[in-house]
């Protein structure tokens, strides 16, 4: 059983505290790191990957500080940053062979893993094509492949589904769910559906701190009695949009059905409905910048 422990981790840049007093214990499974842009997710992930050092606090892998582990920790790690660099004149397979050499794999192991992973991310038919000819989604799939090249124990993915179409996103979610059985997978996103179906635990970050942790069910349970379906006249929609957090709108002739997230019943005939993770997210981040 793997164990990654964060103990009161802070990160300050000049006068700004980007990550504030975060503690967590992660074992085998998929962890969704959910929060608005600017919540501190990327900074936290860079510290977990050893790219940044905490201003205070410690990060340990199986009881050892990751900074002291050095190369032994890097051997356990796979990382896909949000902005990943490529060599445009490499082919996909050449690029993976190159990354494999940087990670200490033999050429035979690099070639074997590259072939397996190009098939996994559905790039096997373009393995010999130059990366500069790839679409954004194809480049992102190649980034996912390089992160998994050394069969890491800790896989850290920062906004990994950006640029993927719906079919690719489903393929990716299924892959990550499978990997989480024997790895620690940390998936950072502000796209709720990316974590709703596959995360064993969700860590919710807001303004650098850890707002809440739990399963999807535990988080949505906190919203019971706060989500409503209402029918109003179409001409009232703009006013209601200004007064309430509207998570969905559906036109039905002269009337409009609204899904409202509110701690108070918005209208006498409003019907209480089961909350979703999206409702939870909108309630806690409705005032955050997008």
């Amino acid at each position: 059983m793997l164990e990654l422990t964060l103990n009161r981790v802070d990160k300050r840049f000049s006068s700004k505290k980007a990550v504030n007093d975060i503690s967590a214990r992660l074992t085998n499974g998929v962890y969704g790191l959910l929060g608005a842009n600017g919540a501190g997710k990327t900074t936290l992930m860079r510290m977990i990957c050893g790219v940044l050092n905490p201003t205070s606090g410690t990060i340990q892998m199986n009881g050892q500080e990751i900074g002291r582990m050095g190369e032994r920790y890097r051997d356990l790690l796979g990382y896909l940053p949000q902005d990943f660099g490529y060599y445009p004149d490499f082919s996909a397979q050449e690029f993976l062979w190159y990354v494999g050499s940087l990670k200490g794999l033999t050429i035979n192991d690099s070639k074997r893993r590259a072939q397996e992973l190009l098939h996994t991310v559905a790039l096997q038919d373009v393995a010999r094509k130059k990366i500069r000819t790839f679409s954004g989604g194809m480049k992102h799939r190649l980034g996912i492949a390089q992160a998994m090249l050394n069969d890491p124990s800790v896989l850290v993915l920062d906004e990994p589904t950006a640029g993927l179409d719906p079919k690719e996103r489903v393929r990716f979610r299924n892959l990550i769910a499978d990997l989480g059985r024997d790895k620690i997978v940390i998936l950072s996103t502000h796209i709720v559906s990316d974590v709703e179906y596959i995360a064993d635990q969700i860590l919710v970050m807001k303004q650098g701190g850890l707002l809440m942790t739990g399963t999807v069910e535990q988080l949505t349970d906190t919203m019971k009695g706060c989500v409503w379906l209402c029918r109003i006249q179409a001409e009232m929609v703009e006013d209601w949009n200004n007064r309430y957090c509207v998570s969905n709108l559906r036109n039905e002739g002269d009337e409009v059905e609204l899904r409202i997230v509110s701690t108070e019943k918005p209208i006498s005939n409003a019907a209480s409905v089961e909350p979703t993770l999206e409702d939870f997210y909108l309630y806690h981040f409705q005032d955050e910048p997008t």
Side-chain angles (χ1 to χ4, degrees):
M1 176 72 74
L2 303 167
E3 183 177 275
L4 183 68
T5 306
L6 286 68
N7 182 34
R8 306 202 67 176
V9 174
D10 281 358
K11 184 62 181 179
R12 183 182 293 278
F13 296 103
S14 186
S15 61
K16 179 185 177 182
K17 186 173 278 191
V19 171
N20 183 22
D21 195 28
I22 287 188
S23 296
R25 177 179 173 271
L26 283 59
T27 58
N28 295 37
V30 179
Y31 294 83
L33 189 57
L34 188 63
N37 290 329
K41 303 188 303 295
T42 295
T43 300
L44 180 62
M45 298 180 87
R46 286 176 177 170
M47 288 191 287
I48 290 172
C49 291
V51 177
L52 294 174
N53 293 320
T55 304
S56 63
T58 60
I59 301 174
Q60 296 180 326
M61 181 68 188
N62 293 337
Q64 300 181 64
E65 287 196 36
I66 63 172
R68 295 181 179 176
M69 292 178 67
E71 188 174 338
R72 288 185 295 124
Y73 181 65
R74 290 191 290 275
D75 288 343
L76 300 175
L77 186 69
Y79 180 37
L80 175 64
Q82 190 170 357
D83 298 310
F84 186 76
Y86 300 87
Y87 293 95
D89 288 324
F90 277 19
S91 69
Q93 65 181 15
E94 287 170 342
F95 176 72
L96 292 182
W97 298 344
Y98 171 70
V99 174
S101 70
L102 295 180
K103 294 187 175 186
L105 275 65
T106 67
I107 186 61
N108 287 336
D109 285 343
S110 290
K111 288 184 175 182
R112 176 182 57 81
R113 285 292 289 162
Q115 184 177 12
E116 291 172 357
L117 290 167
L118 287 169
H119 187 273
T120 297
V121 299
L123 291 175
Q124 69 275 14
D125 294 338
V126 293
R128 297 182 180 180
K129 290 188 178 294
K130 304 291 187 186
I131 299 174
R132 57 181 163 80
T133 68
F134 284 11
S135 67
M138 292 166 71
K139 289 176 182 176
H140 218 68
R141 280 184 275 153
L142 184 61
I144 293 168
Q146 70 77 32
M148 298 190 297
L149 198 58
N150 59 327
D151 192 22
S153 298
V154 180
L155 183 60
V156 181
L157 306 168
D158 195 357
E159 300 287 352
T161 60
L164 301 186
D165 65 30
K167 183 178 179 181
E168 290 171 328
R169 180 171 280 127
V170 170
R171 178 196 292 270
F172 169 78
R173 289 204 303 251
N174 292 341
L175 170 64
I176 294 305
D178 185 56
L179 289 171
R181 290 182 297 177
D182 60 356
K183 303 180 188 300
I184 297 172
V185 182
I186 306 171
L187 167 63
S188 168
T189 187
H190 63 281
I191 302 173
V192 173
S193 60
D194 282 352
V195 295
E196 186 166 16
Y197 298 109
I198 62 171
D200 300 299
Q201 289 278 324
I202 296 176
L203 289 73
V204 185
M205 285 191 71
K206 186 173 184 178
Q207 298 177 356
L210 200 55
L211 177 69
M212 201 176 300
T213 64
T215 64
V216 172
E217 292 76 14
Q218 287 169 338
L219 297 182
T220 55
D221 277 351
T222 68
M223 296 298 299
K224 285 188 179 295
C226 297
V227 186
W228 313 88
L229 281 185
C230 312
R231 285 180 177 272
I232 63 171
Q233 295 299 308
E235 62 268 20
M236 299 169 61
V237 169
E238 184 176 354
D239 178 56
W240 277 59
N241 269 321
N242 292 330
R243 292 166 54 197
Y244 294 105
C245 176
V246 178
S247 66
N248 193 55
L249 180 153
R250 186 173 65 185
N251 289 297
E252 296 187 350
D254 293 334
E255 292 187 323
V256 177
E257 182 183 79
L258 300 182
R259 186 181 181 94
I260 302 288
V261 182
S262 172
T263 55
E264 296 182 357
K265 193 173 187 177
I267 195 171
S268 60
N269 63 353
S272 180
V273 293
E274 284 295 309
T276 66
L277 189 61
E278 185 175 72
D279 296 322
F280 171 91
Y281 183 89
L282 288 171
Y283 177 75
H284 287 285
F285 295 98
Q286 56 185 302
D287 297 323
E288 294 290 306
T290 55

